Amino acid sequence: MTQSLSTQVARPLTAIIVGVGHRSLLYASYAQTHPDELRIVGAADPNPLRRALAAEIYGLSPAQCFETAEEVAARPQFADVVINGTMDHQHVPTSLPLLAAGYDMLLEKPFATFEAEMWDLVRTAKRYDRKVIICHVLRYTPFYAAIRQQVANGVIGDVFNVQTIEHVSYHHMAVGYIRGKWSKPSVSHASMLMAKCCHDLDLIAWMKSGVRPRSVASFGSNFQFRPEKAPANAGTRCLVDCPLEAECLYSARKHYIDHPDRWSFYVWDSLEHIPNPTIEQKIHSLETDNPYGRCVWRCEMEVVDHQSLVIEFADGTTATHNMIGGTSRPSRAMHLIGTRGEIQGVFEDGRFVIRHIDPRPGHEYTEDVVDLTTGGDMHGAFGGHGGGDMRLVADFVRVMRGEAASLSTTQIEDSVAGHLIGFSADRAMAEQRVVDLEFEV
C-alpha cells in the first residue's frame, strides 16, 4: 500500500480471505459486525462454491475472486492484510508469495507442519519485514488471558512447573481424527498433537514468559480405534452393514443425523453443492461415499488417541501435557506451580483458583477464586474458543493499525517455541528418545 496504515486509522483495515473455510470465514465475520474496522475486499479458493459464498457475503465482484494465493500475489497489492485459513499443509506455500507481495497476515495455526518450513516462513517474514500474527485464540480467552496476567504480575513468583491436559470429546475425536481430515498425516501433513494441541503447547511456552524449551520426551499410541478393538460383528459403514448401530456410541446416525448441526461444516462438505440438503440426502451420503459414515474402528487412522509429553526449559524448570482422545466431556485444564504460589483451573468452568502458602497455626494455604462467569463476559466453551476468536481479530486489527500489541498478541516469532515443542515431541515419541530443541533465532 502506498500510505502506511498507521496514518490512515480513520478507515477500515482491508483484507483478502485466502482459503474460504470455516476458520477464515469466522475471523472475517468481524467485518460484518465492525465494518468501520475491517472490510473484506477479496477472496481466493480453488473451490468455486466457496468463492461464490465469500462473494455473496461480502459483495465481491468476479475481479475480486481468485483461485489461488499465487494469483493474488501476482496482482498489484490491493489490500492491507490477508486472512489465511487454508489447510495446515498449505499455510507456508500460500503465505510465502503473499508476504513477498507486501501483505501482512493473520495465519491459522499450526502455521507450519514440519520444522524446516516453519523456519522458512519465519525467515521470509523477517526478510520482507512483514507482520504475521498466528491464530492462537486461547491466548485471548478471558480464562487464559487472566491467568497470564497473574503470572506477569508476579502473583505466584517464578513458574517452575506447568501442567496442562486436553481431553478431546468422543464426538470431536471421531469427526476430526478418526473419520475426518486429520486422521492421516499422510493427507493432512499434521500429527494429532500439532493439529489439536498446538494451542496447549503455545500456552505452556507463553506461561514460561519467553524462557526457551530445551528438551522433550513423549509417549503415545492409538489404543482404542484399531480394527482388532472393534466389537464382534461390527460392520464397515454404520448405516449399511452394521447390526450394532442402534447401540453403538459412535453411530454416524447418532452423531450426524440425530444431531444435524454437530460438526456440520465438516460432515456435509460433500453436499455443499446442494442448498439445504434433506435428511434423506444426508443419510444417502453417509451410506455411500461420505467418510463420516464409516465405522470408527475401521477407518485405518494413522494418529494417536492419547499422547503425553515432558518438557524441560532452559532454566531447569519443567512442564507436562496430556492429550486424551475419546473422553465423555471435552476439557482443558492448567495448573501452574510457582515459587510463591500456584494457579489451577478448568477452562470450561470459567474460573481458576490462586493459592498461597499460609503457615499460620490452623492454616495450610489461602485460596482465592477468580470467577470469569460473572459480569456477562464470555467464558468456558462459549463464544468461539471461549470468547477468543473475535478478541483475536480485534487485536489483529489494532496491531495492524499501529496500536501497541497486547499481552496476548502472538507474532510468528512468539509461536516458534510451542511449534518446536510439538515437532520435537512427535519425533521423541517415534524415535523413543529425548529430543533437544534447536532455535535458529
Side-chain angles (χ1 to χ4, degrees):
M1 309 297 283
T2 58
Q3 188 178 2
S4 69
L5 194 60
S6 60
T7 65
Q8 303 183 57
V9 294
R11 70 166 178 82
L13 188 75
T14 54
I16 304 164
I17 304 170
V18 174
V20 185
H22 168 67
R23 296 303 302 168
S24 54
L25 284 176
L26 179 60
Y27 298 137
S29 71
Y30 189 85
Q32 296 173 273
T33 55
H34 298 81
D36 58 325
E37 297 181 31
L38 181 66
R39 184 162 60 94
I40 305 302
V41 297
D45 195 290
N47 187 319
L49 293 173
R50 296 186 179 182
R51 292 198 301 274
L53 176 61
E56 179 183 354
I57 295 172
Y58 295 105
L60 305 178
S61 70
Q64 294 172 290
C65 297
F66 307 85
E67 290 190 20
T68 67
E70 287 77 12
E71 287 183 30
V72 175
R75 301 289 180 93
Q77 187 180 354
F78 63 96
D80 301 310
V81 302
V82 163
I83 299 172
N84 189 336
T86 54
M87 284 293 291
D88 297 346
H89 65 284
Q90 298 169 327
H91 288 168
V92 173
T94 55
S95 296
L96 293 176
L98 293 167
L99 295 176
Y103 292 99
D104 294 317
M105 187 176 296
L106 181 66
L107 179 59
E108 184 60 291
K109 63 82 205 166
F111 72 79
T113 56
F114 58 93
E115 195 169 329
E117 71 166 6
M118 177 189 76
W119 289 121
D120 192 14
L121 188 58
V122 171
R123 288 191 298 266
T124 300
K126 185 176 181 179
R127 180 185 313 131
Y128 292 105
D129 193 25
R130 302 267 56 90
K131 291 185 177 68
V132 180
I133 306 300
I134 308 302
C135 296
H136 287 298
V137 294
L138 292 188
R139 289 194 182 202
Y140 292 88
T141 63
F143 180 82
Y144 287 113
I147 291 177
R148 181 64 182 87
Q149 190 63 62
Q150 296 287 346
V151 173
N153 292 344
V155 170
I156 62 170
D158 296 326
V159 175
F160 65 89
N161 184 258
V162 181
Q163 303 164 31
T164 59
I165 64 165
E166 180 169 9
H167 290 173
V168 185
S169 73
Y170 65 97
H171 52 84
H172 196 170
M173 184 74 191
V175 80
Y177 308 98
I178 303 175
R179 292 170 168 143
K181 298 178 182 180
W182 293 275
S183 64
K184 295 179 184 292
S186 57
V187 175
S188 70
H189 302 269
S191 69
M192 182 168 179
L193 181 68
M194 288 303 296
K196 190 70 190 76
C197 298
C198 188
H199 287 309
D200 307 274
L201 305 182
D202 173 69
L203 290 170
I204 290 172
W206 192 38
M207 295 300 167
K208 279 299 297 172
S209 308
V211 179
R212 285 183 171 181
R214 182 163 60 193
S215 57
V216 179
S218 183
F219 303 91
S221 70
N222 174 19
F223 179 79
Q224 303 178 71
F225 303 103
R226 310 197 306 260
E228 63 270 25
K229 293 292 184 77
N233 303 317
T236 58
R237 297 191 76 87
C238 299
L239 305 187
V240 175
D241 61 356
C242 186
L244 310 177
E245 182 271 322
E247 292 79 36
C248 182
L249 297 176
Y250 289 91
S251 159
R253 184 187 303 277
K254 292 187 178 76
H255 284 221
Y256 314 126
I257 299 299
D258 294 348
H259 293 275
D261 296 325
R262 177 184 281 170
W263 305 110
S264 59
F265 45 87
Y266 293 150
V267 179
W268 309 120
D269 265 2
S270 60
L271 300 179
E272 65 180 351
H273 62 288
I274 302 174
N276 302 313
T278 65
I279 291 295
E280 290 73 21
Q281 288 171 319
K282 290 180 177 181
I283 290 174
H284 178 70
S285 175
L286 293 173
E287 289 174 339
T288 52
D289 59 351
N290 191 322
Y292 297 98
R294 296 174 296 166
C295 171
V296 294
W297 289 278
R298 304 189 191 282
C299 287
E300 299 179 343
M301 60 181 282
E302 298 172 355
V303 297
V304 301
D305 69 358
H306 69 286
Q307 187 170 350
S308 300
L309 51 149
V310 181
I311 307 153
E312 182 185 38
F313 287 84
D315 60 358
T317 62
T318 55
T320 59
H321 178 65
N322 286 293
M323 183 281 295
I324 311 296
T327 61
S328 304
R329 179 199 185 201
S331 180
R332 274 187 165 102
M334 172 172 281
H335 193 168
L336 306 178
I337 312 295
T339 53
R340 292 176 47 204
E342 57 190 88
I343 297 173
Q344 185 175 21
V346 175
F347 174 56
E348 287 74 13
D349 293 343
R351 62 178 63 87
F352 59 86
V353 298
I354 304 172
R355 301 189 188 96
H356 289 102
I357 295 171
D358 187 348
R360 294 176 297 166
H363 298 77
E364 292 184 4
Y365 57 86
T366 62
E367 186 170 276
D368 297 315
V369 178
V370 178
D371 189 346
L372 300 165
T373 66
T374 59
D377 204 359
M378 287 182 289
H379 63 88
F382 301 101
H385 283 102
D389 288 330
M390 292 301 100
R391 288 179 173 86
L392 164 69
V393 183
D395 187 69
F396 173 69
V397 170
R398 287 193 294 269
V399 171
M400 291 301 106
R401 295 173 78 164
E403 298 179 36
S406 72
L407 186 63
S408 297
T409 302
T410 317
Q411 299 209 42
I412 191 168
E413 297 86 355
D414 304 318
S415 187
V416 164
H419 278 65
L420 269 183
I421 290 171
F423 296 143
S424 301
D426 283 331
R427 189 160 68 249
M429 181 176 66
E431 299 175 5
Q432 297 187 325
R433 68 181 181 90
V434 175
V435 170
D436 294 329
L437 281 62
E438 296 183 5
F439 286 79
E440 285 192 9
V441 295

